[in-house]
Amino acid sequence: MKELNTDILVIGGGAAGLSAAAEAASSGAKVTIIESDLQIGGQLIKQTHKFFGSKDEYAGTRGYKIADILKAELDANKAKIDILTSTTVTGYYIEDKTFTAMTGEESYFRIKAQKAVVATGAQERLIPFPNNYLPGVYGAGAVQTLMNVYGVKPGNRVLMIGAGNIGLIVSYQLIQAGVKVAAIVEALPRVGGYWVHAAKVRRLGVPIKLQHSIKEALGGEFVEGAVIQELDDKFQPTGSEEKIDCDIICLAVGLTPTTELLSQAYCEMRYVPQLCGYVALRDRTMRTSNPDFWTAGDSSGIEEASAAMVEGRIAGLCAAKSIGLPVKTERFDEYWKRLDHLRAGEVGEKIRAGVNKVLRDRWEDK
Ligand SMILES: Cc1cc2nc3c(=O)[nH]c(=O)nc-3n(C[C@H](O)[C@H](O)[C@H](O)COP(=O)(O)OP(=O)(O)OC[C@H]3O[C@@H](n4cnc5c(N)ncnc54)[C@H](O)[C@@H]3O)c2cc1C
């Protein structure tokens, strides 16, 4: 079986992985990025809206343009970076410190790396309800991929489940694509996303129904409607129901970190609600309890692209340092300043609480 050798393996070519790769390569490491998708960029390539965050992390720039900026940075170090797209890292075998990977469905090979940065992003959460298997029931990420990557309009009338930032932003993008948004339903008594995103869709006449959820999808062979129901303060149905005319039901009910490879590497994991799932304990260099593994981005806790980029940079820099390369250590302090800034104030409170549960000063102190 073919075997690939590299200094630093970066798994996932999203905001975190590309930043980690750029940082490690500019420190002199030979880097290989493995990305399952047809192209690198991760979530960023689907985001047509202007990002929040800070100036250093391209606030005010559209997501897909941030991906272009990161790709250009990789180009500047291209002698040091190999990029394999349409390739998935399928497993890690701790006994002989070997990764396995597949390109397409044919080529299966091994990878040996001195160090690895796991930047595998997140998976969408789904919720159970009758008929949720019908064609026309989508995760919000799939709807974005169809519309913003492939230029395919997913349907004509959508019921959006979830009024967090993703539900609100994807609703707006659906409207831009000519899809009518019949309603956004949200189980909580408040909108979870930023006010500015909610205001945009409300101005366009989209009802946001708080304390409501989907009861069932209607239809025989594909979605032909849905029934929504009102919930009380204990999330129990009040008995008040409404039929919604729609041909798409879009689920935007949260993300959870993709961490299987970290578990396979026996990294110590913890369930942290504020970070939306199981994540690896890490020190301030983003190194996990397995000294060959770093974690960064949504796979280390659901946050934002801005934080994913900074964490990626810290991980790439410190992974390069760990193999003896002369890195500019003052960058480490600079990146932590940026992270602290992004996580400051009321908005960052939840993330700070989550990170405090998984951050270790030094591994010896565990
Ligand atoms: C609708 C929406 C709006 C958003 N708006 C904002 C915003 O305004 N501002 C902001 O800062 N953030 C925003 N975000 C969040 C931001 O997009 C993410 O936090 C960020 O992109 C996460 O980057 P990442 O590199 O950790 O993960 P991703 O971008 O998800 O990249 C992970 C990559 O890993 C690949 N991968 C996974 N497993 C494997 C494997 N085994 N082998 C190979 N490859 C693998 C995946 O294919 C993927 O490309 C938004 C997200 C969404 C969905």
Side-chain angles (χ1 to χ4, degrees):
M1 192 189 297
K2 188 174 94 177
E3 187 172 290
L4 186 152
N5 283 278
T6 190
D7 290 343
I8 296 176
L9 177 66
V10 175
I11 308 167
L18 299 186
S19 305
E23 198 69 34
S26 71
S27 304
K30 181 183 169 212
V31 178
T32 302
I33 303 174
I34 306 272
E35 169 53 56
S36 297
D37 221 330
L38 300 172
Q39 55 179 312
I40 53 173
Q43 289 290 326
L44 289 174
I45 58 170
K46 304 180 206 170
Q47 310 307 340
T48 51
H49 64 286
K50 292 182 181 169
F51 272 35
F52 291 133
S54 68
K55 200 169 87 340
D56 287 325
E57 277 66 54
Y58 318 112
T61 306
R62 295 184 193 282
Y64 69 94
K65 293 204 166 159
I66 299 177
D68 289 343
I69 293 170
L70 294 176
K71 286 180 204 166
E73 197 182 341
L74 296 188
D75 279 348
N77 288 294
K78 68 175 169 216
K80 287 271 171 200
I81 303 176
D82 286 327
I83 302 175
L84 300 183
T85 52
S86 303
T87 304
T88 300
V89 175
T90 51
Y92 180 69
Y93 298 83
I94 201 160
E95 303 76 14
D96 49 3
K97 296 191 172 190
T98 301
F99 294 89
T100 49
M102 264 184 108
T103 302
E105 292 178 7
E106 301 294 321
S107 166
Y108 188 60
F109 61 98
R110 276 197 267 251
I111 306 172
K112 289 266 193 195
Q114 290 195 55
K115 305 291 170 193
V117 177
V118 176
T120 43
Q123 296 162 36
E124 291 192 88
R125 286 189 180 149
L126 302 173
I127 47 172
F129 53 87
N131 296 330
N132 70 353
Y133 58 84
L134 286 175
V137 179
Y138 289 96
V143 162
Q144 275 204 312
T145 305
L146 276 178
M147 281 193 307
N148 300 348
V149 181
Y150 297 113
V152 174
K153 193 177 158 195
N156 294 312
R157 235 178 117 82
V158 64
L159 169 66
M160 179 65 69
I161 317 293
N165 275 328
I166 295 182
L168 297 170
I169 290 169
V170 176
S171 292
Y172 187 72
Q173 292 176 356
L174 280 157
I175 295 167
Q176 287 179 312
V179 179
K180 170 97 182 148
V181 180
I184 301 174
V185 296
E186 167 60 58
L188 292 171
R190 61 185 178 280
V191 168
Y194 294 140
W195 177 86
V196 62
H197 295 312
K200 257 176 159 180
V201 289
R202 270 199 179 122
R203 268 203 305 273
L204 293 169
V206 177
I208 302 179
K209 291 177 173 284
L210 301 176
Q211 293 195 284
H212 277 76
S213 188
I214 183 163
K215 183 180 180 208
E216 62 178 321
L218 303 173
E221 290 180 19
F222 46 83
V223 170
E224 292 174 84
V227 178
I228 61 170
Q229 59 187 359
E230 190 186 41
L231 304 175
D232 64 17
D233 291 342
K234 297 196 169 72
F235 299 101
Q236 297 305 309
T238 62
S240 168
E241 297 182 359
E242 187 184 338
K243 186 167 174 271
I244 301 287
D245 180 24
C246 61
D247 58 358
I248 321 169
I249 296 168
C250 184
L251 301 175
V253 290
L255 302 170
T256 196
T258 303
T259 55
E260 290 86 349
L261 291 168
L262 294 162
S263 296
Q264 287 174 18
Y266 290 168
C267 300
E268 205 174 319
M269 310 292 288
R270 174 170 296 176
Y271 182 80
V272 182
Q274 294 93 335
L275 301 179
C276 303
Y278 279 93
V279 291
L281 304 189
R282 77 293 303 255
D283 63 14
R284 282 173 69 84
T285 74
M286 300 306 292
R287 196 180 208 165
T288 69
S289 60
N290 179 329
D292 294 333
F293 278 74
W294 277 255
T295 180
D298 279 357
S299 60
S300 72
I302 306 301
E303 205 173 338
E304 296 223 307
S306 39
M309 284 184 267
V310 186
E311 286 187 344
R313 292 201 180 273
I314 294 171
L317 182 80
C318 296
K321 183 168 185 283
S322 76
I323 58 171
L325 291 167
V327 305
K328 294 186 180 138
T329 42
E330 61 275 17
R331 286 198 199 168
F332 177 77
D333 297 328
E334 161 63 21
Y335 293 146
W336 262 100
K337 247 189 237 158
R338 289 198 209 171
L339 261 190
D340 288 339
H341 174 68
L342 290 168
R343 292 170 177 164
E346 209 183 314
V347 183
E349 202 177 317
K350 184 176 129 204
I351 293 293
R352 288 199 304 276
V355 169
N356 282 340
K357 290 185 180 170
V358 289
L359 200 57
R360 297 287 173 267
D361 278 347
R362 298 196 342 237
W363 280 109
E364 306 88 274
D365 296 338
K366 264 194 300 159

